[in-house]
Amino acid sequence: MNKEFPFLMASEKLIKEGKTTDIYFVRTKKILEKREIKKRVWAEFTVSSSPYPYFAFAGIREVLELLEGKKVNLWALREGEIVPSWDINGVFIPVMAIEGEYIEFCEYETPILGFICHASGILTKSMRIRIAAKDKIVLSFGIRRMHPALSPFIDFYAYMGGCDGVSSLAGAEVIGESPRGTMPHSLIILMGEEEAWKAFDEDMPQEVPRIALIDTYGDEKVQAIKACESIQNLTGVRLDTPSSRRGDIIKIIREIKWELKIRGREGIKIFISGGLDEYEIKKLVEAGADGFGVGTSLSNAKVIDYAMDITEVEGKPCAKKGKFGGRKKPFICEKDRIVIVEEFNKDSSLCPKCKKGMRSAFIKYMEDGNILHEFENISKVRKRVIENLKNFTLEDFSI
């Protein structure tokens, strides 16, 4: 194993040095520098083909950190902005644009795309899950399915998209919250179910919810009854039943709900984890489940497939085949969910439906390598995202 990469992980230093780029950008920069070609360009980031009709933009924080100090200007949508791939006229919607001499940022195209493609994918998936879960509790449990170096990144954007909490220590630190979770099967296996439940109740601080894992060995309904009889201040029970033993999980939830109710413990919540996505969650909400731990479908969310294209060189419009040339910016009407792409020098645009002025969606985040805005508090972004989701249905985010 290469001692420089014991965990096969690039450090922040290597990313800033351009070591995580594709070789052809290094070669391009070498050729341009040798010939002193310092042409000023306008480069746009668009989606030609999205896995969903609508997606959410994210990753601008990492991009700004990467480009800080470079002689470039940058415009982008705000975090959590929900847009389709193209406007009502079929023009690809730019989510971000960089202006400057190409040799200033060409080697960063690869990591920039990595940041926004991955972040937007997790954020969009989290939004879909939030819509499906309605007002139920959703926790991000996905870090064990990805490289551990990505745990803060995964949890940050899962939380931004609507998750109520995250399980990882590092993820919780970056969002400014306490980590959340229950207990693993290993504790049950080492101690036995009732002993483990009681030990958890005795040893954990009072602010930690008493949620008993009830499906390690026995019948879920029987174990739920035992748990509520063993722990007086029981908050909830969690089912993580493997698919080979699951049966009809909806009927199991309803049985447990009934048994708890007739014992005067209807306040005990039922949490489900294991192989969940937005479609499964939608069914479980209807069955009466109260909360969900979502793992792989969040951390392994489909990326949003952005591409960067030069659309102007030295003030002259240009674009490769299949792209739209010139400087552009999007305008949005939240009321009618309409997006129109206009030439960049236009200051306003009217919604063709309500005939009212549309919001210019581009924000100038960077000028000559200087970051112009403080990063918005993640809780504030999350609140705005959840409020905006009221205008969308799960079908809006489905293929």
Side-chain angles (χ1 to χ4, degrees):
M1 180 67 74
N2 188 327
K3 293 298 183 181
E4 188 178 359
F5 299 99
F7 295 116
L8 297 178
M9 176 184 71
S11 66
E12 294 176 2
K13 180 175 180 289
L14 288 178
I15 296 172
K16 289 280 282 187
E17 289 175 349
K19 298 294 179 62
T20 61
T21 195
D22 295 298
I23 185 60
Y24 44 80
F25 292 119
V26 177
R27 292 167 178 165
T28 297
K29 185 177 181 181
K30 183 177 181 180
I31 292 169
L32 295 175
E33 286 181 330
K34 181 179 179 180
R35 288 159 177 79
E36 297 185 349
I37 298 174
K38 298 183 178 181
K39 292 183 178 180
R40 196 168 184 82
V41 306
W42 176 272
E44 292 180 347
F45 295 79
T46 59
V47 177
S48 300
S49 177
S50 169
Y52 317 114
Y54 286 87
F55 62 89
F57 173 70
I60 184 64
R61 296 171 188 242
E62 289 79 7
V63 174
L64 292 175
E65 291 283 357
L66 180 63
L67 293 178
E68 188 173 18
K70 297 293 179 181
K71 295 296 182 181
V72 299
N73 303 326
L74 184 146
W75 291 260
L77 302 178
R78 63 185 180 180
E79 289 180 299
E81 192 82 81
I82 300 172
V83 292
S85 296
W86 47 82
D87 76 352
I88 59 173
N89 299 311
V91 179
F92 295 136
I93 297 168
V95 300
M96 187 168 72
I98 300 174
E99 177 191 36
E101 292 180 357
Y102 183 62
I103 58 173
E104 276 287 310
F105 65 94
C106 70
E107 63 187 328
Y108 291 123
E109 178 176 337
T110 302
I112 287 172
L113 287 170
F115 284 140
I116 65 174
C117 289
H118 198 181
S120 297
I122 295 171
L123 178 65
T124 301
K125 189 68 167 183
S126 182
M127 288 178 169
R128 289 162 56 84
I129 289 169
R130 180 74 272 163
I131 291 173
K134 297 183 178 179
D135 61 347
K136 306 302 182 181
I137 298 170
V138 178
L139 303 180
S140 173
F141 280 5
I143 61 167
R144 67 179 60 192
R145 301 290 183 249
M146 288 290 157
H147 195 294
L150 295 177
S151 57
F153 185 90
I154 292 167
D155 280 343
F156 187 87
Y157 289 107
Y159 182 72
M160 182 184 287
C163 284
D164 297 289
V166 303
S167 62
S168 79
L169 303 183
E173 186 174 341
V174 296
I175 68 173
E177 300 285 339
S178 298
R180 297 174 66 175
T182 58
M183 60 181 69
H185 286 102
S186 56
L187 183 64
I188 305 290
I189 292 169
L190 291 172
M191 296 187 67
E193 283 168 319
E194 292 188 51
E195 290 78 7
W197 300 336
K198 290 176 181 177
F200 190 91
D201 182 34
E202 291 172 4
D203 295 351
M204 291 300 102
Q206 287 302 308
E207 64 269 18
V208 175
R210 271 50 180 170
I211 300 174
L213 182 60
I214 61 171
D215 65 349
T216 306
Y217 296 120
D219 177 81
E220 290 86 352
K221 180 175 72 173
V222 173
Q223 298 306 95
I225 295 169
K226 283 184 180 179
C228 79
E229 291 174 345
S230 300
I231 304 174
Q232 290 305 308
N233 59 341
L234 187 67
T235 304
V237 295
R238 177 165 74 95
L239 285 68
D240 191 51
T241 310
S243 58
S244 62
R245 300 291 191 275
R246 186 163 284 187
D248 192 331
I249 190 67
I250 290 176
K251 289 182 178 179
I252 292 172
I253 291 170
R254 289 171 177 163
E255 285 182 24
I256 293 174
K257 283 277 187 182
W258 175 260
E259 296 297 335
L260 294 174
K261 179 181 177 181
I262 63 176
R263 287 168 173 79
R265 305 296 297 276
E266 60 265 37
I268 294 175
K269 298 182 183 300
I270 297 178
F271 294 87
I272 311 292
S273 60
L276 300 180
D277 62 13
E278 58 269 42
Y279 302 109
E280 184 72 10
I281 287 172
K282 184 178 179 182
K283 292 187 292 184
L284 296 173
V285 167
E286 293 169 356
D290 301 293
F292 308 96
V294 185
T296 306
S297 68
L298 259 179
S299 57
N300 194 39
K302 290 182 179 179
V303 301
I304 304 302
D305 194 9
Y306 298 110
M308 189 192 92
D309 296 285
I310 294 173
T311 62
E312 180 186 280
V313 177
E314 293 292 321
K316 294 182 179 180
C318 65
K320 71 177 187 180
K321 290 186 294 184
K323 302 292 182 175
F324 297 81
R327 297 183 179 219
K328 298 175 285 295
K329 64 182 176 184
F331 289 83
I332 295 176
C333 175
E334 277 95 355
K335 178 179 177 293
D336 296 309
R337 281 186 6 200
I338 289 176
V339 183
I340 294 180
V341 175
E342 301 278 12
E343 294 177 54
F344 189 78
N345 59 8
K346 283 199 67 172
D347 294 325
S348 62
S349 186
L350 288 178
C351 174
K353 189 171 182 180
C354 69
K355 308 301 180 184
K356 294 183 178 179
M358 304 174 75
R359 171 172 59 85
S360 178
F362 257 3
I363 298 170
K364 190 174 186 180
Y365 282 101
M366 177 171 282
E367 185 168 0
D368 290 330
N370 297 308
I371 299 174
L372 301 178
H373 305 282
E374 291 288 333
F375 294 136
E376 200 173 2
N377 179 275
I378 185 173
S379 296
K380 186 177 179 180
V381 179
R382 179 179 179 274
K383 183 178 180 180
R384 186 182 70 236
V385 164
I386 293 174
E387 184 64 28
N388 194 21
L389 286 179
K390 294 176 182 177
N391 299 316
F392 294 85
T393 66
L394 187 56
E395 287 66 34
D396 291 321
F397 287 92
S398 301
I399 299 172

